[in-house]
Amino acid sequence: MARWLRELLAVAAVLVPALVHAQSLESVLSPGRLTASHAKWEDECRSCHVPFDRAAQDRLCTDCHKDIGRDMRERTGFHGRAKPQPCRTCHTDHKGREARIVAFEPKQFEHAQADFALRGKHRQTDCAKCHETGKKYSAAPSDCNACHRKDDVHKGSLGAKCASCHGESSWKETTFDHGSTRFALTGKHADARCDACHKTGAYKETPRACYGCHKGDDQAAKGHQGRFGEKCDSCHGDRGWKPSSFNHDTDTKYALRGQHRQARCNDCHTGPVARVKLGTDCWACHQKDDKHKETLGRDCGSCHTERDWKEKAKFDHDKTEFPLLGAHASTRCDACHTSKVFNEAPKACIGCHRKDDRHEGTLGTDCAACHGERDWKSTAGRFDHARTRFPLRNAHAAAKVACKDCHRDAKSYRPAPLDCLSCHRKDDKHEGQLGAKCESCHSDASWKSARFDHAATRFVLLGRHAAVECKACHKSARYTDAPRECIGCHRKDDKHRQVFGEKCESCHNARAWTLWDFDHTKRTRWPLDGGHRRVACADCHVRPAPGGKLAAPLADTCVACHRKDDVHDGGFGTRCEQCHGVEKWKKVSNRVMRSGATP
């Protein structure tokens, strides 16, 4: 054991001086002191160097600078896009504590090599506005909101994707398309200023209902003051607040006739329409005018007319729903009218003849189907549909049409509906859009063959329109969906690409699309004469027309169009007409010389 210890001590005595000598040798061979950032590794050369392997030095660099190593592997950032080369090519150490190991000049740096290429206004922005002092350049955020949070007048209500509306050329110029929202701007809305509806930067809280913006119009002295509810679009449209599009005859169940047409809305609608529903009978409004105190019932129309309430009328029973025929003509009034409220008298036979009904209701209550007014006991023996209010003709009289197709049972003969739509609703391809009067186009001869006079509509067919197939304009059976404006069907024919607006009829007519007539002298403030007559419209009108206009406004000075022809570069001002004429630009008349001025 003692001998083994002596040998171990001898080996240690040789190795320790050798190790100390190796460390001091590296220190002696060092080319210089390290920079301040690497000073703590001054005596640890192997932190950055591998003996006899210079290529391994780059691996040690990226092991320490992990963010740069990641960029180089993923080909991102400045180092990931730069040409592959050893780190020491650009970053050389051992030059002293105060040396700059990074040779970087911000003004000469090509930002396109980084992850954020500079475009628009960003090219003129000072580096310090995006890159904070003390932080790495690569730590600067790349999203708009990080730098423009203070410019966000919406206060974050529209999210952080500023680029969806703003561009890099100018922050205040936006490219927002309102049609992509739930409220597309049409009609007058297209010309309204943004702040007319969006009072604050919180755009998403803006109401979409008309009343949200037009409450002031409704509460004004000439407004409805809340009587007609908040659904403004039931009467008004976005093309113009006035006039109202409300049609009492078609939009309600009460058509206005006679003196009712001259009545003001407030005469009948005294309270809120949404909560107070008016009756459609005369009594609802004319109770105060009833001098009979209800002794004749509430059917004022049996004697009074809509022409004039005070018009003296003579009661004629034949004009009622129950004309007196046969034995009824000799019947005493009180036999049917048991009280002075005359309209309580039944109109159906069964009302007076229930005791005479030996069928006990098995054939329903339509006694007149078999019985007559001349004699109750004499019957026709069979039912004749021609004697009803609905005589069977043409297709209705076909053998394949059974009674039960319209009459559920014998008790429902009289209440069977008389209008077409009740039975033909499934055949209505227009989905109710054209109303319930099917007979205005269809007949009982054949449902599929229809007669229709287009001249009775708001779009009379003239010129080439008269020969156009229906389906060319009406894409479906919902006929009223077809547009009435020319541009609705002729957008593909608009060679001007809306430079002259959407009012095609200002130049074109229904005779032929290629026939057009526009007198520039009479219809504009710029008469075309001289060489201007040979100029194409598109040479001057290049911008699309604003909404509701026939063309975009143009300046009326020569230089507005002839700036490129001004070989004087503005040296003689902008009044080209002093020397040039409209016949030919190059033909110059020396008007100044003739006036006596010095050359």
Side-chain angles (χ1 to χ4, degrees):
M1 178 63 70
R3 181 172 173 274
W4 182 82
L5 289 174
R6 284 195 302 271
E7 292 180 357
L8 181 61
L9 290 173
V11 172
V14 174
L15 290 178
V16 169
L19 292 173
V20 172
H21 175 72
Q23 181 63 39
S24 61
L25 181 61
E26 290 180 348
S27 300
V28 171
L29 295 177
S30 174
R33 300 183 70 191
L34 297 178
T35 59
S37 59
H38 288 162
K40 60 181 178 179
W41 290 292
E42 183 83 66
D43 297 325
E44 298 179 14
C45 303
R46 294 177 185 254
S47 296
C48 299
H49 301 283
V50 177
F52 309 107
D53 189 358
R54 298 188 68 184
Q57 181 178 344
D58 292 343
R59 175 178 55 78
L60 296 177
C61 292
T62 56
D63 286 347
C64 229
H65 301 280
K66 293 181 172 52
D67 53 344
I68 295 177
R70 182 182 60 253
D71 286 349
M72 295 176 68
R73 290 191 301 273
E74 298 177 359
R75 296 290 190 269
T76 59
F78 171 74
H79 290 90
R81 291 185 175 87
K83 177 182 177 181
Q85 54 187 334
C87 303
R88 62 179 175 275
T89 304
C90 300
H91 309 288
T92 304
D93 207 331
H94 293 287
K95 292 185 178 182
R97 291 287 189 265
E98 304 301 325
R100 292 179 58 192
I101 195 170
V102 179
F104 176 70
E105 292 296 334
K107 294 183 179 180
Q108 297 178 3
F109 180 68
E110 182 58 45
H111 218 285
Q113 291 182 305
D115 290 334
F116 192 89
L118 297 182
R119 304 183 183 90
K121 289 290 185 180
H122 287 152
R123 290 185 176 275
Q124 305 164 10
T125 304
D126 187 37
C127 302
K129 290 188 176 180
C130 298
H131 300 284
E132 296 183 19
T133 304
K135 291 186 177 181
K136 294 183 178 181
Y137 280 88
S138 59
S142 58
D143 60 300
C144 308
N145 199 48
C147 291
H148 293 281
R149 192 183 304 276
K150 63 181 181 300
D151 303 319
D152 183 13
V153 296
H154 317 299
K155 299 179 181 179
S157 62
L158 299 182
K161 295 183 178 179
C162 312
S164 60
C165 297
H166 300 273
E168 294 163 310
S169 57
S170 176
W171 178 263
K172 294 183 178 180
E173 293 180 6
T174 63
T175 58
F176 182 70
D177 181 12
H178 218 288
S180 63
T181 69
R182 290 181 291 175
F183 193 93
L185 299 182
T186 56
K188 292 289 186 181
H189 288 152
D191 302 328
R193 293 175 51 198
C194 301
D195 57 3
C197 299
H198 303 287
K199 304 297 184 184
T200 64
Y203 282 15
K204 290 185 178 179
E205 297 177 3
T206 304
R208 295 193 301 276
C210 306
Y211 201 72
C213 290
H214 293 281
K215 182 178 181 180
D217 300 319
D218 183 64
Q219 296 296 331
K222 294 184 179 180
H224 311 304
Q225 299 178 352
R227 282 192 300 272
F228 297 131
E230 298 182 359
K231 294 184 177 180
C232 311
D233 52 340
S234 60
C235 299
H236 302 276
D238 57 8
R239 293 183 180 178
W241 188 257
K242 294 179 181 180
S244 169
S245 59
F246 183 74
N247 188 334
H248 210 289
D249 294 350
T250 59
D251 295 341
T252 70
K253 297 180 181 179
Y254 192 86
L256 300 180
R257 302 184 182 91
Q259 290 295 326
H260 287 156
R261 287 198 173 276
Q262 279 71 47
R264 295 183 310 167
C265 303
N266 297 340
D267 293 340
C268 299
H269 300 284
T270 57
V273 174
R275 296 194 297 270
V276 181
K277 300 296 183 182
L278 294 183
T280 56
D281 58 304
C282 306
W283 180 259
C285 289
H286 294 282
Q287 183 175 356
K288 63 183 183 299
D289 301 320
D290 181 18
K291 305 298 184 182
H292 315 296
K293 298 181 180 180
E294 296 190 67
T295 58
L296 298 181
R298 296 185 177 184
D299 186 12
C300 312
S302 60
C303 297
H304 299 274
T305 65
E306 295 158 315
R307 292 190 300 274
D308 188 357
W309 179 262
K310 294 182 178 180
E311 180 180 347
K312 208 169 184 181
K314 181 180 179 181
F315 183 72
D316 183 359
H317 216 292
D318 291 340
K319 293 181 179 179
T320 68
E321 294 179 354
F322 196 93
L324 300 180
L325 304 173
H328 289 155
S330 57
T331 303
R332 293 173 51 192
C333 298
D334 56 4
C336 299
H337 301 283
T338 56
S339 70
K340 297 200 181 221
V341 183
F342 284 179
N343 66 349
E344 289 183 352
K347 300 180 183 66
C349 304
I350 197 67
C352 293
H353 295 280
R354 190 177 298 278
K355 62 184 180 299
D356 303 319
D357 181 20
R358 297 187 179 180
H359 313 294
E360 297 180 354
T362 56
L363 297 181
T365 59
D366 190 9
C367 309
C370 298
H371 300 274
E373 297 98 336
R374 291 191 300 271
D375 185 4
W376 179 264
K377 294 183 179 181
S378 63
T379 64
R382 60 186 180 86
F383 180 70
D384 184 7
H385 216 292
R387 293 170 58 185
T388 68
R389 289 181 296 168
F390 197 95
L392 299 180
R393 298 189 296 263
N394 298 324
H396 288 151
K400 64 179 181 180
V401 180
C403 301
K404 64 181 181 181
D405 292 341
C406 300
H407 304 284
R408 296 191 305 272
D409 51 44
K411 296 180 181 179
S412 62
Y413 278 11
R414 175 67 68 182
L418 305 179
D419 62 294
C420 306
L421 194 60
S422 295
C423 290
H424 291 282
R425 190 177 300 277
K426 63 182 182 298
D427 303 318
D428 181 17
K429 305 298 185 183
H430 317 298
E431 300 177 6
Q433 194 185 64
L434 301 184
K437 293 186 177 181
C438 311
E439 65 273 14
S440 60
C441 296
H442 301 274
S443 68
D444 54 8
S446 174
W447 178 264
K448 293 183 178 181
S449 61
R451 61 187 185 281
F452 181 73
D453 184 7
H454 217 289
T457 68
R458 289 181 289 178
F459 193 92
V460 181
L461 298 182
L462 302 173
R464 289 295 183 88
H465 288 154
V468 175
E469 288 184 299
C470 303
K471 64 182 181 182
C473 299
H474 301 285
K475 304 302 181 183
S476 68
R478 294 175 59 85
Y479 285 178
T480 59
D481 288 349
R484 294 193 299 275
E485 299 79 15
C486 303
I487 196 68
C489 291
H490 292 283
R491 190 176 297 278
K492 63 180 182 298
D493 302 320
D494 182 14
K495 305 296 185 182
H496 318 297
R497 304 191 177 203
Q498 298 189 4
V499 169
F500 299 127
E502 296 185 351
K503 293 185 178 181
C504 311
E505 64 274 14
S506 61
C507 296
H508 300 273
N509 56 64
R511 293 195 302 269
W513 181 261
T514 54
L515 295 177
W516 62 275
D517 180 26
F518 186 82
D519 191 338
H520 208 287
T521 301
K522 294 181 179 179
R523 297 183 62 179
T524 69
R525 294 182 300 173
W526 183 268
L528 298 181
D529 52 1
H532 289 152
R533 289 196 184 97
R534 300 184 295 274
V535 177
C537 304
D539 290 346
C540 296
H541 298 280
V542 295
R543 291 185 297 140
K549 302 292 185 180
L550 293 181
L554 292 177
D556 55 2
T557 61
C558 302
V559 76
C561 289
H562 292 283
R563 190 177 299 278
K564 63 181 182 298
D565 303 320
D566 182 12
V567 297
H568 317 298
D569 292 334
F572 293 141
T574 59
R575 298 185 60 186
C576 311
E577 65 275 15
Q578 289 184 334
C579 297
H580 299 273
V582 295
E583 289 295 331
K584 192 173 182 181
W585 178 262
K586 294 184 178 180
K587 183 179 180 180
V588 178
S589 59
N590 197 343
R591 302 179 187 176
V592 178
M593 297 297 293
R594 287 200 300 271
S595 63
T598 303

